[in-house]
Amino acid sequence: MEKLTGLKKIKTAVFISGTGSNLKNIIKFSKVKKSPISINLIVSNTSLAKGLRYADQFKIKKKIFNLNNNNENEKNILISLKKEKIKFICLAGYMKILSKKFIKKFDGKIINIHPSLLPKYKGLNTHSRVIKNKDKLSGCTVHFVTTKLDSGKIILQKKVKISANDNPISLKKKVLKQEHKLYPEAILKIFN
Ligand code: GRF
């Protein structure tokens, strides 16, 4: 990954679909001096994503696209990314699968956070599956996005201990807390 030169931060887009707690956390991190990135665009596949409120709160541009819909949307999003000079993309609770074509255009420049210790529990409903299997340990992973779901090179992970009375909801809370530490650490690791 390119080294930082001077004070210029790398223009970044965050893609979301829901609550946006990771988005909020990344925006806050982007404002600290040591952050290599600035958040210049928020993309959501749905206008219902609660996290879109952070676009207004932090005065960041937002766009709503459903990338799975058709080629037209993909073209439009590429136009927006180009217009904002976006060089890096953070997926943060983005629930759509990006097309191979799109991923190849941003090869090595898209990262994602996943709520499990990859390569375990790729895909959806990780916390329910972890609890069902009576695992003692879970966690979260930030990884590069490739055309194979949740399988790109791992950047960093954090572990979370599961107690006997944890359920999918309590585990989600515990893991999210670690996600908020992990995402900035992973971004720093990539660019430093
Ligand atoms: C997080 O658990 C993330 O790991 C997963 O989706 C959730 C998004 O949460 N990909 P939020 O929208 O950032 O609060």
Side-chain angles (χ1 to χ4, degrees):
M1 194 63 61
E2 68 194 80
K3 292 270 172 204
L4 272 184
T5 46
L7 291 170
K8 252 188 164 180
K9 293 191 178 189
I10 294 152
K11 290 187 192 295
T12 300
V14 182
F15 284 31
I16 60 162
S17 299
T19 318
S21 70
N22 277 289
L23 164 67
K24 185 183 180 197
N25 184 59
I26 296 168
I27 294 172
K28 288 197 160 167
F29 164 70
S30 74
K31 293 180 182 297
V32 303
K33 202 173 162 208
K34 68 172 180 182
S35 166
I37 62 164
S38 62
I39 306 305
N40 299 77
L41 187 65
I42 295 167
V43 174
S44 173
N45 61 299
T46 163
S47 58
L48 300 176
K50 285 197 183 137
L52 282 171
R53 71 182 131 154
Y54 299 120
D56 303 326
Q57 190 177 322
F58 293 97
K59 302 200 171 29
I60 298 170
K61 282 192 186 160
K62 63 178 176 203
K63 290 273 174 195
I64 295 152
F65 292 105
N66 188 344
L67 275 186
N68 268 2
N69 244 358
N70 53 38
N71 281 339
E72 204 51 41
N73 278 343
E74 190 159 294
K75 257 190 247 154
N76 287 337
I77 196 170
L78 285 168
I79 291 169
S80 282
L81 294 169
K82 205 170 172 189
K83 198 171 150 215
E84 301 304 326
K85 300 191 170 65
I86 300 297
K87 298 283 184 286
F88 191 63
I89 295 174
C90 295
L91 306 184
Y94 185 68
M95 300 303 282
K96 292 283 174 185
I97 294 175
L98 297 168
S99 79
K100 290 194 166 112
K101 215 171 133 193
F102 184 89
I103 293 172
K104 286 196 174 132
K105 281 230 157 78
F106 276 86
D107 196 23
K109 305 269 191 298
I110 311 176
I111 63 173
N112 178 43
I113 189 153
H114 185 78
S116 80
L117 293 173
L118 289 173
K120 284 174 107 181
Y121 302 103
K122 294 175 184 174
L124 297 174
N125 304 319
T126 54
H127 304 310
S128 315
R129 288 188 280 148
V130 165
I131 295 286
K132 208 169 164 196
N133 287 342
K134 299 190 169 29
D135 287 2
K136 298 270 177 288
L137 212 59
S138 189
C140 44
T141 305
V142 175
H143 64 95
F144 285 105
V145 172
T146 60
T147 52
K148 226 172 144 207
L149 184 71
D150 298 330
S151 300
K153 190 175 169 234
I154 291 171
I155 300 157
L156 273 183
Q157 293 186 308
K158 269 195 197 296
K159 289 178 182 151
V160 165
K161 278 189 189 149
I162 304 172
S163 49
N165 50 10
D166 265 327
N167 54 48
I169 296 168
S170 64
L171 180 59
K172 183 182 171 181
K173 268 193 198 157
K174 275 188 187 174
V175 173
L176 255 185
K177 211 172 156 192
Q178 294 310 311
E179 289 183 33
H180 296 161
K181 293 184 188 154
L182 184 68
Y183 221 140
E185 284 175 21
I187 292 167
L188 281 171
K189 186 176 173 195
I190 293 171
F191 292 104
N192 288 330

